[in-house]
Amino acid sequence: MELEFTGEIWHWKGPSPFHFVTVPEELCDALDATAGLVSYGWGMIPVRVSIGGTDWTTSLWPKDGRYIVPLKAAVRRAEGLEVGATTTIQLFVDV
């Protein structure tokens, strides 16, 4: 499965701070349908992600009935991304 969307980068200031982009609601139904096949626990969905010229593997995190994409610091540096910026993300889920 391949999904593409644009979203805003936001920062969570928890005990382990992270930057995320929230998957649009209209794409979450397709992800929910595959979660049972690929999730390894807690609803996490392993994915390959591409932003610009940067590719990496991570897992989507379930949050408030949707999914969020964690953005590593190395990815943000490589692509010049900061909180509040809008970016286009490609997600690849091996089903």
Side-chain angles (χ1 to χ4, degrees):
M1 169 191 307
E2 181 178 337
L3 303 172
E4 183 174 300
F5 63 93
T6 300
E8 184 176 326
I9 299 169
W10 55 276
H11 183 246
W12 180 64
K13 297 180 184 183
S16 181
F18 271 96
H19 291 77
F20 297 96
V21 175
T22 303
V23 176
E25 190 171 354
E26 63 270 13
L27 299 180
C28 290
D29 286 341
L31 291 167
D32 283 339
T34 62
L37 301 171
V38 299
S39 179
Y40 57 86
W42 305 292
M44 308 284 272
I45 299 176
V47 292
R48 188 168 42 90
V49 184
S50 179
I51 295 178
T54 306
D55 299 321
W56 76 101
T57 57
T58 188
S59 292
L60 301 180
W61 301 11
K63 182 175 182 347
D64 301 329
R66 292 169 68 182
Y67 292 94
I68 56 177
V69 181
L71 302 181
K72 298 178 182 183
V75 171
R76 295 189 321 273
R77 278 193 300 272
E79 296 298 326
L81 300 171
E82 296 188 18
V83 170
T86 299
T87 189
T88 298
I89 294 179
Q90 290 181 301
L91 294 179
F92 304 91
V93 182
D94 288 331
V95 180

